[in-house]
Amino acid sequence: MTFTLAHLSDIHLSPMPRARRRDLFGKRVLGYVNWHRGRKFVHRRDILDVLTRDLVEREPDHVAVTGDLVNLGLPEEFLAAAEWLRHLGPPDKVTAIPGNHDAYVRLHPDHGTGHWRPFMEANAPGAAIMPTPLMDFPFVRRFGDVALVALSSAIPTMPFIAAGRLGPTQRAHLALALDELGRKGLFRVVLIHHPPLPGQAGWRRGLRDARALKKVLQEHGAELVLHGHDHVQTVHELETATGPAAIVGVPSASEAVAGRIPAARYNEYRIDKVAGGWRCDMVGRAVSDTAAHVWECEHRVLVKP
Ligand SMILES: [Fe+2]
Ligand SMILES: [Fe+2]
């Protein structure tokens, strides 16, 4: 039976709540100015709503959101994003991970990503395979033959820096999870905000330990790696010990059509267990030029035996 997984990223949810003076410190001051000078014209709520209406109507089996749900990390933004996640579906049908904008400033989880907790934790079949480590990531969610391994590359950084990092503990747990899921013959989907391969993003925006992550993926295998952060559609293939892994970046889900190319898009993956392995098709769904509807902009076979 086909499992359909929808992937969207870089929501950059608007409208921006009015910021209190005491909340505007450090990196947020620059971000606040940037938002009102330009970013709010790029990331638009009406575009996002057209896209998510299409997604919800198509009733995928599961939805993955790979970070940058908010912009400046204001407490009200996290509450609004929790509400937005609930509108996508119940927590057992929606998985979220944080991006760099969700760690914009150091914040106690109770005032930040803690509001997304039901969407950001293992499910029982996943925890049975690999219990979530104390640091909360990676967590595993299993749905029959398909398993999601959710990472957090979100770290607070200095202004003008949008880099990410997993760290050795998370990478070690990822290796364990990939081995265990591979032994069970499951289709392994890794979720990460930053592009996972070295060189995909520059020093200021990239994953600091991309080289080490690449090695983990090569040695332990995965079928699909989904990420955001760059706000563009990209597809790479990585040879691993268990066969090729498809690595796909998706554009921002809220990027205005009249803004930069490409426009808002999400991808739908149709995963099937077939004789001799897996087949996985990717269908791109993008907002039209007039922003009136969503159309199928791409269909390609990503994985086949
Ligand atoms: Fe982003
Ligand atoms: Fe990002």
Side-chain angles (χ1 to χ4, degrees):
M1 213 172 59
T2 306
F3 184 85
T4 55
L5 172 68
H7 172 222
L8 70 171
S9 195
D10 296 83
I11 314 307
H12 295 286
L13 197 66
S14 58
M16 174 79 68
R18 188 191 287 278
R20 287 179 296 262
R21 191 171 287 267
R22 68 179 153 92
D23 284 330
L24 288 180
F25 54 84
K27 192 173 173 178
R28 271 197 195 134
V29 179
L30 286 164
Y32 196 70
V33 172
N34 267 337
W35 175 261
H36 285 289
R37 281 213 183 135
R39 286 178 72 88
K40 71 176 173 188
F41 304 111
V42 174
H43 295 290
R44 278 177 23 196
R45 183 58 185 257
D46 57 328
I47 301 281
L48 176 69
D49 289 347
V50 169
L51 198 76
T52 50
R53 199 174 310 130
D54 179 76
L55 185 153
V56 170
E57 275 171 9
R58 289 169 69 83
E59 298 183 344
D61 292 312
H62 201 78
V63 183
V65 185
T66 52
D68 280 1
L69 278 73
V70 303
N71 301 289
L72 307 180
L74 295 165
E76 294 79 5
E77 287 189 280
F78 287 100
L79 284 168
E83 188 60 42
W84 177 82
L85 281 169
R86 279 192 288 274
H87 151 87
L88 278 186
D92 60 336
K93 292 220 164 210
V94 180
T95 300
I97 56 167
N100 52 299
H101 278 265
D102 310 317
Y104 211 68
V105 295
R106 212 172 284 279
L107 207 60
H108 191 278
D110 285 357
H111 304 291
T113 51
H115 293 297
W116 311 341
R117 170 61 72 146
F119 302 91
M120 233 168 48
E121 59 188 6
N123 65 3
I129 295 173
M130 195 199 72
T132 307
L134 273 179
M135 60 202 290
D136 293 338
F137 293 94
F139 64 84
V140 176
R141 285 184 161 191
R142 178 182 178 176
F143 307 97
D145 287 334
V146 176
L148 309 180
V149 187
L151 298 165
S152 172
S153 57
I155 47 165
T157 57
M158 300 296 285
F160 305 112
I161 302 290
R165 186 170 182 271
L166 292 172
T169 316
Q170 227 185 132
R171 293 197 310 266
H173 281 92
L174 171 65
L176 282 174
L178 292 175
D179 279 348
E180 206 47 45
L181 298 169
R183 257 195 292 277
K184 293 198 179 316
L186 305 184
F187 187 92
R188 297 161 293 181
V189 185
V190 176
L191 306 177
I192 180 169
H193 177 68
H194 288 79
L197 299 179
Q200 276 188 289
W203 185 84
R204 279 181 8 176
R205 310 190 64 254
L207 185 72
R208 292 279 193 261
D209 48 356
R211 202 165 296 280
L213 171 59
K214 182 181 174 188
K215 194 159 175 273
V216 171
L217 294 171
Q218 280 173 323
E219 288 174 1
H220 303 271
E223 279 63 47
L224 187 60
V225 181
L226 302 179
H227 69 88
H229 189 57
D230 278 348
H231 300 192
V232 288
Q233 174 72 26
T234 53
V235 178
H236 289 86
E237 199 177 274
L238 180 72
E239 270 315 316
T240 80
T242 60
I247 298 179
V248 189
V250 71
S252 160
S254 63
E255 190 145 349
V257 175
R260 286 180 300 145
I261 301 295
R265 163 173 171 164
Y266 72 93
N267 290 320
E268 197 177 83
Y269 297 90
R270 299 177 188 159
I271 303 162
D272 277 296
K273 193 166 198 164
V274 294
W278 298 99
R279 182 184 162 115
C280 174
D281 286 30
M282 178 188 73
V283 172
R285 305 276 307 166
V287 174
S288 68
D289 285 352
T290 55
H293 68 279
V294 174
W295 63 294
E296 184 176 315
C297 60
E298 190 178 0
H299 185 161
R300 85 192 241 185
V301 182
L302 277 185
V303 179
K304 59 174 190 263

